[in-house]
Structure formats: structure tokens, C-alpha cells
Amino acid sequence: MDPVLSVSYETIALFFEAAEGNYRNAMYILCSCPRERNGRCGDFLFIPGHDCIPILLPCSDAEAFLNTQIDSTDCAGILSSRTFFRLYHKWLELIIDSDQICPLKQILPLLNQERIAKNW
């Protein structure tokens, strides 16, 4: 049975294409977003796509898809969500609708839209 994922298989394919087939080539984002009630919206794997647009994969999805636990120390590096927000500040200003919801959670649905994932 296929796991229920919050990202499309196309996004997963784009992620692994950019990561050369290995999630360990991606950065691990520790999300401690102050915008979330419980203080955490989950951790993410991140790699820039060929167009430098970030490709995000929730660790929970990666673990379900790969049937393995993701260890942050196996990844190319570890970023705080705050650092990611600083790196992509101008881009986030263009696409984020709300300052009440974690930007990482707002990016995921956009990445799942075929035209954005391919042509942004």
C-alpha cells in the first residue's frame, strides 16, 4: 500500500533528481517556526532545483517513501528554518500569503502545482 504523502510524486521525483538520487545530498531544515502553535511544523529536506527554486520534502514524507528514518547528521548540512527564511527572504515575500502560517507549509502546496514545479 502506498503511504499517504503531503507532496506529489512529481515533487519527490524533482527532489531526488536534484539530490542525485540520494537524500543525503540535501540540507536538513530544523523547523522551529514561531508561527506554529506547538512551535514545530516538522522538519524538512531541502535542495535547490535546477532553477534555484527550493524543493522541500517533509521528513515525514521522506521516511514514509523510503521506509527509513532520516538522520539529520547524514545530510549535507543542517539549517534552521530561520536561516532558510533569511536565504530565501525576497522570494518568500513574493509567494507567501500569510504571516500566520509557517512559510515552509505555504511552499509545499505551491511545489505540488505542476506548472510551478516545472516552470516557475
Side-chain angles (χ1 to χ4, degrees):
M1 185 161 100
D2 282 340
V4 176
L5 305 175
S6 61
V7 296
S8 67
Y9 285 118
E10 182 178 5
T11 299
I12 292 171
L14 289 171
F15 175 86
F16 281 106
E17 180 182 356
E20 297 178 344
N22 191 337
Y23 78 86
R24 291 173 182 90
N25 292 330
M27 300 295 288
Y28 190 97
I29 297 178
L30 292 167
C31 189
S32 56
C33 185
R35 297 176 178 133
E36 292 297 312
R37 282 187 215 152
N38 63 2
R40 290 185 53 79
C41 55
D43 295 337
F44 294 82
L45 295 174
F46 151 67
I47 195 158
H50 70 279
D51 53 4
C52 295
I53 299 294
I55 302 171
L56 296 175
L57 182 59
C59 286
S60 58
D61 285 359
E63 289 172 347
F65 185 76
L66 297 169
N67 197 28
T68 190
Q69 185 150 7
I70 304 295
D71 182 348
S72 62
T73 61
D74 287 342
C75 295
I78 300 173
L79 292 174
S80 69
S81 54
R82 185 178 222 170
T83 300
F84 176 84
F85 299 153
R86 277 188 253 150
L87 286 171
Y88 280 95
H89 175 74
K90 289 296 185 185
W91 181 73
L92 290 169
E93 282 181 353
L94 296 172
I95 65 163
I96 299 302
D97 292 335
S98 169
D99 59 353
Q100 301 299 314
I101 301 170
C102 176
L104 296 173
K105 282 189 171 180
Q106 292 183 63
I107 293 170
L108 284 179
L110 297 174
L111 292 175
N112 284 324
Q113 295 175 11
E114 185 176 333
R115 67 180 175 79
I116 290 176
K118 286 186 176 178
N119 300 317
W120 195 321

